[in-house]
Amino acid sequence: MKIAIIGTGYVGLVTGTCFAEVGHEVICVDCDEAKVKLLRDGGVPIYEPGLDELVKKNTGTGRLSFTTSTKKGVEKSDVIFIAVPTPPQPDGSVDLSYIEGVAREIAGAMTGYRIIVDKSTVPVRTGEKVAETIHRYGHAGVEFDIVSNPEFLREGFAVEDLLKPDRIVVGISSQRPAQAMKEVYEPFDAPVMVTDINSAELIKHASNSFLALKISYINAVSIICEKSGANVQDVAAGMGMDERIGRRFLNASLGFGGSCFPKDLSAFIKISQELGYDFGLLKEVQNINANQMDRFLKKITETLWVLKDKTIGVLGLAFKQNTDDVRMSPAIEICQRLLKEGAKLRVYDPKAMEKARVILPEAVYLKDMNNVAEGCDALVVATEWPQFKELDLDRARKGMTCPIIFDGRNLFDMSEMEKLGFIYKSIGR
Ligand SMILES: NC(=O)c1ccc[n+]([C@@H]2O[C@H](COP(=O)([O-])OP(=O)(O)OC[C@H]3O[C@@H](n4cnc5c(N)ncnc54)[C@H](O)[C@@H]3O)[C@@H](O)[C@H]2O)c1
């Protein structure tokens, strides 16, 4: 198939690359000239395991190319995917101006039938608006179909998720685009669920909100564990053995963040409200998440008392493991709140330091995680990178002024840490 992807970010670049990998001819469009230049020169603007190699391989075969021109993308393709941002507005609703802008550009460039597929995460009924927009701004008599095809990839595992998806959701309002969508996804050998556009859009918001709910649920349970002397990891393990519940997303922590969960949750609450339903359950998910961060910071201040002029080491800046993405990262929020209290920070992240430096220029960035603890009054684990488990704990303890660790991700074994002489505070244990 000849495919254009408008928006070459985390979703667009990985999707375009994986489509090329399975044999489609893909042109990725982005309005960011610097990004397109970097990609054309053989660079990759984001970190995703395995992505570099696939981009190189597929640009090499000529199946993957990059441009700043939406017109060119539309001219060369039969199916056009939209993967532009849908950021939150201050009131929690979604800023749909990127989607609307791209819809107008596509409409202006279309001279014959095209299938326009929305892959960005959008509130239910956005497909209807996109169709209206294309009708309004398109050339008379040019036919098109709108499809909703929400993306479920996890950052940090995006290539793997794209190549081996657990499901593909396709929302259509007529049978005409069905065959082309089947051909796009045929090589992926995954279950395809075909539904109407509104249901497809809702599946994405309902899924992400449910996952956020699962995290907040175990975080609320972690408070009861702390108050009663139980261990949240054992509770989660015991719950997760019930296959109706499942163990995943039951990791107590300092809370969720990232570019998707917080915004999708508030967008779902907002669209529900517009449709006349007060989704109080999801508002509580947000409250629990915000409180979890406050509770973690309280643990730090209660232990260290005054933070002004204390030196604190922070392991992890990305919003989760395996990514360089720091958008809405809880780790960044901790750093900002510690800095606000006057603390000095020594920080490390395997992949996210370049992006964090722009937001946190005051911190001292270390190249080796084993140097972070040197001279620190406390160490904070803020992201669940598995390599942090390999930290030289003996060296860390010797280098610190006080051997105190606040583990916001429950990475270490409690009794082991105590044996090593640390004051060790984690979540729900
Ligand atoms: N990141 C994720 O894990 C993830 C997962 C599933 C769904 N989504 C959804 O996918 C969408 C994109 O998210 P992302 O994380 O890839 O965003 P991103 O910010 O990484 O990428 C978006 C890209 O679109 C480009 N862009 C903006 N306006 C444009 C225009 N008019 N023409 C061409 N390019 C334009 C930007 O320059 C940027 O490169 C969002 O709706 C998001 O909610 C994201």
Side-chain angles (χ1 to χ4, degrees), residues 33-341:
E33 284 179 20
K35 190 178 271 190
V36 171
K37 183 175 183 311
L38 178 76
L39 284 159
R40 279 182 164 169
D41 292 346
V44 174
I46 54 167
Y47 171 74
E48 269 301 329
L51 182 63
D52 257 49
E53 299 77 7
L54 283 191
V55 170
K56 277 196 189 83
K57 181 178 159 200
N58 287 286
T59 45
T61 61
R63 282 202 302 271
L64 179 64
S65 62
F66 304 97
T67 178
T68 53
S69 163
T70 301
K71 187 166 180 282
K72 200 165 151 196
V74 172
E75 275 167 7
K76 288 195 159 194
S77 313
D78 304 312
V79 187
I80 300 149
F81 284 79
I82 303 177
V84 293
T86 45
Q89 310 206 82
D91 69 351
S93 63
V94 182
D95 175 357
L96 289 165
S97 62
Y98 295 85
I99 298 275
E100 198 257 0
V102 168
R104 276 196 287 161
E105 279 182 50
I106 294 171
M110 268 179 3
T111 49
Y113 177 75
R114 292 289 185 278
I115 298 168
I116 297 130
V117 186
D118 175 42
K119 206 169 235 322
S120 294
T121 303
V122 293
V124 60
R125 292 180 133 170
T126 299
E128 294 168 10
K129 292 284 176 203
V130 171
E132 256 174 60
T133 306
I134 295 180
H135 266 302
R136 193 169 302 144
Y137 293 95
H139 303 290
V142 175
E143 294 187 345
F144 65 92
D145 272 298
I146 299 292
V147 174
S148 167
N149 172 222
E151 181 49 59
F152 300 99
L153 66 80
R154 297 163 299 163
E155 280 184 29
F157 304 89
V159 171
E160 190 185 320
D161 287 350
L162 243 305
L163 290 174
K164 289 194 204 101
D166 46 17
R167 88 293 213 185
I168 289 155
V169 172
V170 175
I172 48 177
S173 59
S174 82
Q175 280 307 310
R176 192 169 175 194
Q179 181 55 29
M181 291 306 291
K182 197 167 162 242
E183 278 175 47
V184 168
Y185 281 110
E186 198 121 66
F188 293 92
D189 193 25
V192 177
M193 186 200 170
V194 179
T195 179
D196 62 280
I197 294 178
N198 287 345
S199 302
E201 289 169 341
L202 261 178
I203 286 169
K204 177 64 190 179
H205 266 164
S207 299
N208 268 8
S209 299
F210 187 79
L211 292 173
L213 179 146
K214 229 179 148 183
I215 298 172
S216 277
Y217 185 81
I218 201 66
N219 278 337
V221 171
S222 81
I223 299 171
I224 309 302
C225 289
E226 284 180 16
K227 289 189 186 293
S228 63
N231 181 330
V232 74
Q233 279 178 309
D234 289 347
V235 174
M239 287 171 65
M241 287 164 89
D242 182 333
E243 61 182 31
R244 292 170 305 173
I245 298 173
R247 176 66 183 80
R248 292 168 78 188
F249 283 77
L250 285 182
N251 294 317
S253 71
L254 45 82
F256 59 78
S259 70
C260 291
F261 282 3
K263 96 167 159 65
D264 293 350
L265 198 53
S266 53
F268 199 26
I269 291 170
K270 196 72 191 167
I271 187 73
S272 304
Q273 191 184 321
E274 280 168 25
L275 293 169
Y277 177 65
D278 178 11
F279 217 142
L281 175 67
L282 296 185
K283 290 181 184 166
E284 195 49 32
V285 170
Q286 288 180 316
N287 287 339
I288 293 170
N289 198 50
N291 290 342
Q292 200 68 359
M293 172 66 76
D294 291 345
R295 286 173 53 80
F296 187 66
L297 275 148
K298 200 162 158 229
K299 268 184 201 162
I300 300 178
T301 47
E302 275 177 359
T303 311
L304 297 183
W305 188 26
V306 173
L307 292 184
K308 189 166 183 295
D309 293 330
K310 292 257 162 63
T311 302
I312 300 179
V314 180
L315 290 174
L317 297 163
F319 85 95
K320 64 172 188 177
Q321 61 174 305
N322 275 353
T323 180
D324 63 348
D325 196 348
V326 294
R327 292 178 289 180
M328 301 280 289
S329 167
I332 298 282
E333 184 180 341
I334 286 194
C335 290
Q336 286 169 327
R337 289 174 71 167
L338 293 173
L339 285 168
K340 205 165 155 224
E341 295 292 324

Side-chain angles (χ1 to χ4, degrees), residues 297-421:
L297 275 148
K298 200 162 158 229
K299 268 184 201 162
I300 300 178
T301 47
E302 275 177 359
T303 311
L304 297 183
W305 188 26
V306 173
L307 292 184
K308 189 166 183 295
D309 293 330
K310 292 257 162 63
T311 302
I312 300 179
V314 180
L315 290 174
L317 297 163
F319 85 95
K320 64 172 188 177
Q321 61 174 305
N322 275 353
T323 180
D324 63 348
D325 196 348
V326 294
R327 292 178 289 180
M328 301 280 289
S329 167
I332 298 282
E333 184 180 341
I334 286 194
C335 290
Q336 286 169 327
R337 289 174 71 167
L338 293 173
L339 285 168
K340 205 165 155 224
E341 295 292 324
K344 298 187 177 100
L345 300 185
R346 290 167 64 79
V347 302
Y348 171 79
D349 187 284
K351 294 287 173 197
M353 295 211 280
E354 209 179 301
K355 289 188 173 150
R357 219 183 274 272
V358 183
I359 312 168
L360 298 170
E362 312 91 324
V364 174
Y365 290 79
L366 281 308
K367 286 202 182 91
D368 180 344
M369 68 173 174
N370 286 312
N371 290 336
V372 173
E374 197 58 43
C376 284
D377 299 289
L379 198 58
V380 171
V381 181
T383 309
E384 69 276 32
W385 282 98
Q387 49 266 60
F388 293 161
K389 288 186 187 160
E390 310 303 318
L391 186 73
D392 185 339
L393 290 164
D394 204 36
R395 181 172 155 195
R397 185 175 42 79
K398 287 183 185 137
M400 294 174 80
T401 55
C402 312
I404 307 175
I405 295 191
F406 299 98
D407 185 352
R409 299 290 178 178
N410 288 349
L411 275 195
F412 294 105
D413 183 82
M414 272 194 307
S415 52
E416 187 72 14
M417 297 304 272
E418 274 153 29
K419 225 186 286 161
L420 285 167

